[in-house]
Amino acid sequence: MKKILAPFLFALLLNTTLQAQISFRLSTGFSPAQNPSNADLFLNKNSLVDQFYFNMNSIRPQYYVGAGLQIDFPKSDFFTETKLIYTRRICEYACLFTVAAPYHTDPYMVMMEKASLLNLPVNMGVHLGKVSISCGLSGSVKISANSELSHMEGYHDSNSFIRMGWQSSARLSMDKLVIGLEYQSHLKRIGEGSTLHDQSLALRNV
C-alpha cells in the first residue's frame, strides 16, 4: 500500500437521533498545512535547457464540512458509519531548472493544483465508554480541478476522478457534541498516474 498523505482532521460533530440505534451527524473539521518529505524527481534528462528537479512543496490547510449516519448494532458496542464530506485541496509544486533559458529566466518555478473533493468513508467501529474508535475504506471524488501542471508540454494525467484510500479515527463524546481526530491516507503516491514525456511524476517518501 502506498501512502500519499496523512492529514489529521479535527472534527466537531453534532448528533441528532432519528430513531433507535441510528444517529444523524453534521460535521466540520480542519487539517493543518503539510510539507511532504519526498525525493526530488529529475525530469527532461535528454534536454539540457529543459532539465529540472520536481517536487511537492506543500499542501495548504484544508477545511471540511459534511454530514453522515451512524448505525449502532443492538445489544453491542459496535457500530458502522458513513459520511459525505466536502473539502478543497490546494497543492504547491516546485520546479528547479538546472540551466537558465530565454523562456524560463527564473530557474525556480512554483505551480499550483486546486481541486474540490467529495470524500465518502465507510467505517466500522466500537464504543469504549465515551471514546469511539473506527476505521475503514474511503473514496474521494474529484468534482472540479485546475492544475498549472497541465501547462507543461508533454504533461499527461491518466488518473480517474475517483481515488480510494482508508482512514481511522478516535472520538470523544460529550452529550450532543463529539470531538475527535482522523487519520486519512490514499492508496496511491503523490503524482502517481501523471507523466511528463512518459516519465512518471510519482514522488517517493524519504
Side-chain angles (χ1 to χ4, degrees), residues 38-57 92-100 104 106-111 149 152 196 199-203:
N38 300 308
D40 290 342
L41 289 180
F42 187 45
L43 302 175
N44 290 339
K45 301 177 184 178
N46 297 326
S47 175
L48 178 61
V49 295
D50 291 325
Q51 292 176 353
F52 66 94
Y53 292 96
F54 175 81
N55 211 331
M56 173 182 276
N57 276 350
E92 180 180 298
Y93 295 90
C95 302
L96 179 61
F97 288 88
T98 58
V99 177
H104 53 73
D106 186 351
Y108 183 77
M109 293 177 57
V110 173
M111 294 187 175
L149 297 177
M152 295 190 296
L196 186 70
Q199 184 176 351
S200 174
L201 299 183
L203 298 170

Side-chain angles (χ1 to χ4, degrees), residues 109-124:
M109 293 177 57
V110 173
M111 294 187 175
M112 309 300 295
E113 184 179 64
K114 303 176 182 179
S116 295
L117 307 171
L118 282 177
N119 297 329
L120 180 63
V122 179
N123 298 328
M124 293 290 295

Side-chain angles (χ1 to χ4, degrees), residues 1-65:
M1 183 169 59
K2 302 168 184 177
K3 185 168 63 176
I4 177 174
L5 55 89
F8 287 93
L9 173 63
F10 294 82
L12 182 66
L13 303 102
L14 180 66
N15 292 337
T16 303
T17 303
L18 300 179
Q19 61 184 45
Q21 310 299 328
I22 300 179
S23 298
F24 174 71
R25 292 184 166 187
L26 300 176
S27 63
T28 183
F30 170 76
S31 176
Q34 302 169 67
N35 300 101
S37 178
N38 300 308
D40 290 342
L41 289 180
F42 187 45
L43 302 175
N44 290 339
K45 301 177 184 178
N46 297 326
S47 175
L48 178 61
V49 295
D50 291 325
Q51 292 176 353
F52 66 94
Y53 292 96
F54 175 81
N55 211 331
M56 173 182 276
N57 276 350
S58 65
I59 300 174
R60 293 187 179 178
Q62 290 176 247
Y63 296 91
Y64 299 80
V65 62

